[in-house]
Amino acid sequence: MAKIIVAGGTGNLGTRLIEGFLAKGDEVYVLSRQKKRTENPKLNYVQWDGEHIDSWTSVLEGADTLINLSGASINRVFNEENKSLLRESRVRPTSVLGKAIQQASNPPRLWINASGVSIFNGKGDLKDEESTDFGNDFLANLAKDWEAACLKWNTPNTHKVILRIAPVLMTESGMFAELYPLAKLGLAGTVGSGKQIVSWILLDDFLRLIPWIISLNEPDSVYHACSPNPLSNEEFMKTIRTVAGSSIGLPLPSFMAKIGARVKGVDPTLLLESVPVTTKLTLERGFKFNFPYLQPALQQLILKST
């Protein structure tokens, strides 16, 4: 049994991750701005008022692992108000956690801090954990600031791991939840040029990856939570149509994608920009993806949703 701390653990990813820890008998503390109650004696919610860190410092004492998933969803338009929200919701809690670790007498052994694969330049070859070809657009700079907020702290007794997460395919929300119903209607065609690269990871593999990192004696400083086999948007959409049993898919030209994105309240760059990212270190260190290829991954989601 281990003491696991999850910051930002009230979203879909955090909730599912916590279920796995509890099933193993771990004791889980969730750090959140939301006030929640639970009858599970192994699950505890610790509320943060946005200012004081005493409660967070005390709960970190004696913990094995801190997992920081804090951050508002990027599925919104990137206006100045939302840009500020996205940055504040990531950078500030991360900085507070770093300060709390420094103040703890017996800090966590391991700190896994989330980031995004969108940190990379969208052009050129596939980027793995050794690449430093970072971009300069909003999402890239957001990820760089998020990582810097973690790395700036000197934590000699706490090993830090940056986990750059690709879009996670799940039934509850995200790309699959949005696109699969459209594919069944014959609407999930190629978006824009179709050449933009889509990186992804199935929820099942994501939920296995974090415990695997925790199990390592000396984890690397960066891992990519993504399939080793990204696809072009054209191939990605074709595969979704295949598993949906649809032989047609109306294409979505760039100008229509921009209009549709605005109508849905998300930024067009999420549809039209390339994310050419893969993973190398997970494979070299021995992690086995159960679903490294898209079609079996999607079929698994469909099976679970029926």
Side-chain angles (χ1 to χ4, degrees):
M1 183 186 78
K3 181 180 179 181
I4 307 292
I5 314 297
V6 183
T10 56
N12 285 327
L13 290 183
T15 300
R16 295 295 300 277
L17 194 61
I18 289 166
E19 289 174 356
F21 288 129
L22 293 174
K24 291 194 305 178
D26 293 330
E27 184 179 17
V28 180
Y29 288 79
V30 182
L31 310 183
S32 175
R33 294 198 186 199
Q34 300 180 29
K35 188 175 183 179
K36 296 189 70 173
R37 302 183 67 179
T38 175
E39 296 182 359
N40 188 331
K42 289 188 175 293
L43 177 61
N44 308 273
Y45 288 90
V46 181
Q47 189 178 18
W48 179 46
D49 62 7
E51 296 293 338
H52 304 92
I53 69 169
D54 293 346
S55 60
W56 281 17
T57 302
S58 61
V59 80
L60 288 174
E61 296 285 355
D64 179 80
T65 303
L66 164 65
I67 303 165
N68 180 25
L69 300 173
S70 298
S73 170
I74 64 171
N75 291 323
R76 61 190 75 229
V77 176
F78 297 155
N79 55 34
E80 291 307 310
E81 179 182 359
N82 285 336
K83 286 180 179 180
S84 178
L85 168 66
L86 291 170
R87 188 179 188 281
E88 175 76 3
S89 65
R90 284 162 171 74
V91 173
R92 191 174 186 198
T94 303
S95 294
V96 169
L97 289 169
K99 186 175 183 180
I101 288 174
Q102 283 198 331
Q103 293 183 358
S105 300
N106 186 17
R109 171 187 66 89
L110 180 64
W111 176 6
I112 300 175
N113 203 81
S115 180
V117 295
S118 53
I119 193 171
F120 291 106
N121 187 328
K123 299 178 181 179
D125 297 333
L126 293 178
K127 282 79 172 174
D128 59 32
E129 288 88 346
E130 296 179 352
S131 176
T132 56
D133 186 15
F134 300 141
N136 286 302
D137 59 7
F138 168 67
L139 285 180
N141 289 329
L142 177 65
K144 285 187 281 187
D145 289 345
W146 197 2
E147 294 185 10
C150 170
L151 297 175
K152 71 178 182 180
W153 297 98
N154 181 28
T155 58
N157 296 315
T158 301
H159 182 74
K160 290 180 283 195
V161 172
I162 299 295
L163 184 64
R164 295 174 180 146
I165 305 173
V168 180
L169 302 182
M170 63 179 82
T171 58
E172 297 90 340
S173 62
M175 286 197 298
F176 176 79
E178 289 275 345
L179 294 174
Y180 183 59
L182 294 178
K184 290 194 291 184
L185 296 174
L187 298 176
T190 299
V191 178
S193 70
K195 296 179 180 179
Q196 62 270 35
I197 301 299
V198 181
S199 294
W200 59 276
I201 185 170
L202 187 68
L203 177 63
D204 287 16
D205 279 332
F206 175 82
L207 296 177
R208 292 175 50 251
L209 179 61
I210 290 183
W212 174 80
I213 294 172
I214 294 173
S215 73
L216 299 175
N217 291 326
E218 296 183 9
D220 294 273
S221 59
V222 177
Y223 292 105
H224 288 174
C226 65
S227 161
N229 302 294
L231 298 171
S232 68
N233 173 270
E234 181 179 11
E235 295 170 317
F236 191 94
M237 302 301 276
K238 181 180 179 180
T239 304
I240 289 183
R241 295 196 304 272
T242 297
V243 299
S246 176
S247 59
I248 61 171
L250 296 179
L252 190 65
S254 295
F255 78 94
M256 288 297 294
K258 292 178 181 179
I259 295 173
R262 295 292 179 177
V263 170
K264 292 184 67 64
V266 299
D267 204 85
T269 57
L270 297 175
L271 299 176
L272 297 171
E273 295 297 320
S274 186
V275 187
V277 179
T278 187
T279 180
K280 175 182 177 182
L281 286 182
T282 55
L283 301 175
E284 290 183 349
R285 301 298 186 260
F287 181 75
K288 304 294 185 183
F289 285 87
N290 285 341
F291 296 93
Y293 297 101
L294 184 62
Q295 186 162 331
L298 296 179
Q299 289 170 334
Q300 173 72 0
L301 286 178
I302 295 170
L303 181 65
K304 286 194 170 186
S305 64
T306 55

